[in-house]
Amino acid sequence: MEGHLNLIKTDYKETEKRIFPRFPFTYLTFKANSGEDQVFEVLNISYTGMQVSLKNGGCSFKPDSTIKGDLHWRGASISIEGQVKWVKGQRLGIAFEEKLTVEAIPSFLSIENIVAGMRPVHDSGLDIEMPNNLKYWLRADGPVEVFIWEHNDHETSRFQIIMMDSFVEWEDGKGLRTGNVINKRNVETPLNAEDEYIFEIEQSCDEEKIKFASRIIAHIPENFLPEAVTRFLSMKIGA
């Protein structure tokens, strides 16, 4: 992990660059009603917006343009409208229309839906190479990922719970921290597909983020993690 950690200090914020493994596909997609019915992968999503990527074809959307379409996730769907905030190649940053952020999006991204869409990547049966010392990896497509790392003696060394545009993490010797995800991009290497995150670290822990993480842990299916690991996560975040 140390090789994947780069501390950046500025006058106003402390941020950290992190590299995490990237799952090769997502079930969370956005079908834009643009005349071409383009289908985007949702890279990350929050209650106020999302970042999407078009795998095939050309992207014709421009910044400040209106975009409409449907979000699809494991049989559930919701119609959305928003504004394109930025365009970088095949990727778009989209801000949801304000009325959607009051009820429709929070309902679509409820704890129950997130956990229903969660899968244990470490026990998926897929041919995915896990980084050294990453023991458990739970993924709910765009909204949530849980990474649990071990020391060489198999004791838990750290964990990260990435929740849309925020995170909660604990590390042995450093304790609990919370913060915001301020950027995420794909990184292609000769051997692995990875995600690069920029985390903004908060000076003191955000209780709302901790409560959200606690609810996620409480709803993780029993067969996804050993009971002792789930208890450990709950204890370290004070649930």
Side-chain angles (χ1 to χ4, degrees):
M1 185 71 170
E2 284 72 21
H4 289 159
L5 178 64
N6 181 23
L7 186 65
I8 307 165
K9 291 188 177 180
T10 70
D11 292 338
Y12 304 101
K13 302 173 183 177
E14 182 178 286
T15 62
E16 291 184 3
K17 182 187 296 182
R18 304 286 185 87
I19 302 295
F20 291 99
R22 172 156 46 94
F23 196 70
F25 60 87
T26 177
Y27 293 101
L28 181 59
T29 61
F30 171 62
K31 185 176 182 181
N33 301 330
S34 58
E36 302 177 28
D37 286 336
Q38 294 175 312
V39 178
F40 294 79
E41 287 188 358
V42 178
L43 301 180
N44 57 359
I45 189 169
S46 71
Y47 295 138
T48 58
M50 62 183 177
Q51 181 184 155
V52 300
S53 176
L54 183 65
K55 288 297 184 182
N56 299 302
C59 184
S60 58
F61 291 99
K62 305 296 182 183
D64 299 323
S65 62
T66 297
I67 188 168
K68 298 180 181 181
D70 298 301
L71 277 172
H72 298 277
W73 194 21
R74 297 183 181 272
S77 63
I78 181 176
S79 296
I80 70 106
E81 181 175 348
Q83 183 182 47
V84 177
K85 305 301 290 185
W86 53 262
V87 179
K88 295 179 181 178
Q90 301 293 85
R91 293 186 296 130
L92 305 177
I94 299 171
F96 295 135
E97 188 180 42
E98 187 173 352
K99 67 179 182 181
L100 292 173
T101 68
V102 176
E103 183 175 346
I105 296 297
S107 178
F108 186 75
L109 297 177
S110 68
I111 290 289
E112 291 75 18
N113 285 348
I114 287 172
V115 174
M118 184 176 285
R119 295 294 181 270
V121 180
H122 60 271
D123 193 29
S124 65
L126 299 174
D127 186 20
I128 296 176
E129 185 176 352
M130 299 274 283
N132 291 338
N133 296 330
L134 177 60
K135 181 63 175 180
Y136 304 106
W137 175 9
L138 306 180
R139 173 178 168 80
D141 295 313
V144 169
E145 289 195 79
V146 180
F147 298 94
I148 303 170
W149 309 78
E150 287 189 343
H151 291 297
N152 290 334
D153 62 3
H154 304 299
E155 294 293 326
T156 300
S157 62
R158 57 187 175 269
F159 62 79
Q160 290 92 9
I161 304 173
I162 302 173
M163 311 167 296
M164 294 180 274
D165 56 358
S166 63
F167 72 91
V168 171
E169 70 174 11
W170 173 89
E171 185 170 357
D172 190 12
K174 294 185 178 180
L176 192 67
R177 300 196 297 178
T178 65
N180 301 305
V181 178
I182 60 175
N183 192 35
K184 175 187 176 183
R185 71 181 184 93
N186 297 344
V187 179
E188 299 292 345
T189 70
L191 298 178
N192 299 299
E194 300 172 324
D195 283 329
E196 178 188 273
Y197 286 82
I198 303 296
F199 284 174
E200 179 184 295
I201 311 299
E202 293 170 325
Q203 292 184 351
S204 58
C205 288
D206 185 315
E207 290 300 322
E208 291 302 314
K209 293 182 177 69
I210 291 174
K211 288 179 182 177
F212 194 84
S214 298
R215 292 176 62 202
I216 291 171
I217 293 169
H219 284 80
I220 292 174
E222 293 181 359
N223 60 323
F224 282 12
L225 293 175
E227 182 181 354
V229 174
T230 303
R231 287 201 310 268
F232 183 88
L233 297 182
S234 297
M235 178 182 67
K236 290 303 180 182
I237 65 172

